[in-house]
Amino acid sequence: MSYDKVLQAKELIIGTKQTLKALDDGIVSEVLIANDAEYRVIYKVEALAKTKEIPLLYVDSMKKLGKACGIDVGAATVALRK
Protein backbone atom coordinates (compact mmCIF):
# COMPACT_ATOMS: atom_id res chain seq x y z
CA MET A 1 0.00 0.00 0.00
CA SER A 2 1.16 3.53 -0.70
CA TYR A 3 0.88 4.59 2.92
CA ASP A 4 3.69 2.15 3.70
CA LYS A 5 5.99 4.05 1.34
CA VAL A 6 5.29 7.22 3.31
CA LEU A 7 5.95 5.49 6.63
CA GLN A 8 9.26 4.06 5.34
CA ALA A 9 10.48 7.21 3.57
CA LYS A 10 13.51 8.94 5.02
CA GLU A 11 12.47 12.41 3.90
CA LEU A 12 8.99 13.65 3.03
CA ILE A 13 7.81 16.85 1.41
CA ILE A 14 4.31 17.49 2.73
CA GLY A 15 1.73 19.76 1.15
CA THR A 16 0.92 21.13 -2.27
CA LYS A 17 3.09 24.26 -2.22
CA GLN A 18 6.14 22.41 -0.95
CA THR A 19 5.59 19.57 -3.43
CA LEU A 20 5.41 22.02 -6.35
CA LYS A 21 8.65 23.68 -5.23
CA ALA A 22 10.39 20.33 -4.83
CA LEU A 23 9.22 19.22 -8.29
CA ASP A 24 10.64 22.43 -9.75
CA ASP A 25 13.92 21.79 -7.91
CA GLY A 26 14.10 18.23 -9.30
CA ILE A 27 14.42 16.52 -5.93
CA VAL A 28 11.32 14.30 -6.06
CA SER A 29 11.29 10.58 -6.79
CA GLU A 30 7.54 9.98 -6.39
CA VAL A 31 4.35 11.93 -5.62
CA LEU A 32 1.33 10.71 -3.66
CA ILE A 33 -2.03 12.40 -4.17
CA ALA A 34 -5.16 11.87 -2.08
CA ASN A 35 -8.22 11.00 -4.14
CA ASP A 36 -10.48 13.00 -1.85
CA ALA A 37 -8.47 16.23 -2.30
CA GLU A 38 -10.11 19.00 -4.28
CA TYR A 39 -9.05 19.09 -7.93
CA ARG A 40 -8.23 22.81 -7.76
CA VAL A 41 -5.68 22.01 -5.06
CA ILE A 42 -3.88 19.13 -6.74
CA TYR A 43 -4.11 19.72 -10.49
CA LYS A 44 -0.86 21.71 -10.72
CA VAL A 45 1.06 19.02 -8.85
CA GLU A 46 -0.43 16.32 -11.07
CA ALA A 47 0.39 18.22 -14.27
CA LEU A 48 3.96 19.10 -13.24
CA ALA A 49 4.73 15.55 -12.10
CA LYS A 50 3.47 14.17 -15.42
CA THR A 51 5.54 16.73 -17.34
CA LYS A 52 8.67 15.79 -15.41
CA GLU A 53 7.82 12.07 -15.69
CA ILE A 54 7.67 11.58 -11.92
CA PRO A 55 5.56 8.57 -10.86
CA LEU A 56 2.18 9.43 -9.34
CA LEU A 57 0.46 7.25 -6.76
CA TYR A 58 -3.08 7.81 -5.60
CA VAL A 59 -4.30 7.07 -2.09
CA ASP A 60 -7.87 7.15 -0.88
CA SER A 61 -7.74 9.61 2.01
CA MET A 62 -6.16 12.96 2.88
CA LYS A 63 -6.66 12.18 6.55
CA LYS A 64 -4.83 8.83 6.33
CA LEU A 65 -2.06 10.40 4.24
CA GLY A 66 -1.57 13.14 6.84
CA LYS A 67 -1.53 10.58 9.63
CA ALA A 68 1.08 8.49 7.77
CA CYS A 69 3.20 11.66 7.55
CA GLY A 70 2.90 12.19 11.29
CA ILE A 71 0.74 15.33 11.13
CA ASP A 72 -2.66 15.95 12.73
CA VAL A 73 -4.32 17.31 9.58
CA GLY A 74 -4.98 15.85 6.15
CA ALA A 75 -2.44 16.10 3.34
CA ALA A 76 -3.55 16.49 -0.28
CA THR A 77 -0.10 15.77 -1.70
CA VAL A 78 3.14 14.30 -0.42
CA ALA A 79 6.40 13.93 -2.30
CA LEU A 80 9.15 11.45 -1.58
CA ARG A 81 12.58 13.01 -1.83
CA LYS A 82 15.24 11.37 -4.00
Side-chain angles (χ1 to χ4, degrees):
M1 186 91 191
S2 300
Y3 297 112
D4 293 334
K5 285 189 175 193
V6 173
L7 293 170
Q8 294 171 1
K10 289 184 171 57
E11 197 167 341
L12 297 173
I13 299 154
I14 304 168
T16 303
K17 288 180 187 175
Q18 292 83 355
T19 298
L20 284 169
K21 184 178 182 323
L23 283 166
D24 277 335
D25 293 345
I27 59 170
V28 174
S29 63
E30 209 165 3
V31 175
L32 288 87
I33 297 177
N35 281 327
D36 61 347
E38 290 185 37
Y39 179 74
R40 65 177 181 80
V41 174
I42 57 100
Y43 78 95
K44 288 181 184 176
V45 171
E46 199 171 42
L48 187 56
K50 285 179 182 176
T51 300
K52 295 191 174 266
E53 299 180 357
I54 303 296
L56 288 169
L57 293 173
Y58 293 90
V59 296
D60 58 343
S61 168
M62 287 177 55
K63 187 174 182 176
K64 288 180 186 175
L65 188 55
K67 188 172 183 170
C69 293
I71 60 175
D72 294 330
V73 295
T77 64
V78 173
L80 305 180
R81 191 177 179 115
K82 285 184 180 177

